């Protein structure tokens, strides 16, 4: 907050801010898989998200070592928001499935958001890889 308010930007900050989001996303995906909140084919979506986040983080570190940075695109910011929304909707689904009749509707929304987030993760991953190749 302070960095944005005071327009304080550093290369370290540019790499740490997205990494904090990625750690949160990866941790939540792993926890959902371990707790068996996700089943069947939907696990694949989370594995793709995890793999994509790890690859993009590796690209960022590689460029950081070379004193370059991979800027966060607007689509990447939307991707992170949609990933968090998907994870949140799965957590909400686990709560409402036993109490309200809308549980199945929430499940469809949760899995749709999950696959949409997976698609956007693939798209942004490709964009970041192309940018990485140019900067490398």
């Amino acid at each position: 907050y302070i960095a944005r308010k005071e327009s304080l930007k550093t290369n370290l900050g540019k790499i740490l801010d997205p990494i904090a989001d990625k750690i949160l996303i990866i941790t939540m995906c792993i926890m959902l898989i371990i707790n068996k909140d996700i089943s069947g084919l939907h696990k694949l979506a989370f594995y793709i998200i995890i793999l994509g986040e790890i690859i993009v983080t590796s690209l960022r570190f590689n460029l950081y070592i070379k004193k370059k940075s991979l800027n966060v695109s607007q689509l990447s910011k939307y991707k992170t928001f949609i990933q968090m929304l998907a994870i949140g909707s799965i957590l909400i689904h686990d709560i409402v499935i036993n109490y309200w009749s809308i549980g199945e509707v929430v499940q469809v929304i949760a899995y749709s958001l999950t696959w949409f987030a997976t698609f956007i993760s693939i798209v942004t991953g490709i964009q970041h890889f192309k940018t990485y190749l140019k900067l490398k």
Side-chain angles (χ1 to χ4, degrees):
Y1 171 77
I2 294 171
R4 286 192 180 141
K5 183 179 177 187
E6 300 296 325
S7 297
L8 302 172
K9 294 181 181 180
T10 63
N11 284 338
L12 181 63
K14 286 181 183 179
I15 196 167
L16 289 181
D17 185 45
I19 288 174
D21 291 337
K22 290 178 186 325
I23 290 171
L24 176 65
I25 296 295
I26 290 170
T27 302
M28 289 304 299
C29 288
I30 291 170
M31 294 305 296
L32 288 171
I33 291 168
I34 288 173
N35 289 328
K36 298 183 179 153
D37 293 321
I38 305 299
S39 61
L41 187 62
H42 302 296
K43 280 185 183 180
L44 178 62
F46 282 96
Y47 288 130
I48 292 169
I49 289 171
I50 292 168
L51 182 63
E53 298 295 339
I54 291 170
I55 290 170
V56 169
T57 301
S58 299
L59 297 177
R60 284 185 191 286
F61 271 131
N62 192 327
L63 287 176
Y64 180 73
I65 291 168
K66 296 176 182 183
K67 306 266 190 251
K68 298 178 182 177
S69 66
L70 191 61
N71 292 330
V72 178
S73 68
Q74 194 65 36
L75 185 58
S76 291
K77 292 178 183 182
Y78 292 141
K79 174 207 65 166
T80 301
F81 174 74
I82 293 168
Q83 287 173 336
M84 291 181 182
L85 199 59
I87 290 168
S89 64
I90 288 170
L91 295 173
I92 289 170
H93 166 260
D94 289 345
I95 295 168
V96 300
I97 191 76
N98 296 321
Y99 300 106
W100 294 298
S101 60
I102 62 166
E104 290 186 19
V105 173
V106 174
Q107 182 179 31
V108 169
I109 292 169
Y111 288 143
S112 297
L113 283 170
T114 299
W115 284 103
F116 184 56
T118 303
F119 173 74
I120 294 176
S121 295
I122 292 168
V123 170
T124 57
I126 292 168
Q127 287 177 342
H128 286 311
F129 188 71
K130 286 179 179 179
T131 304
Y132 169 81
L133 290 176
K134 289 177 186 174
L135 294 173
K136 184 179 161 190

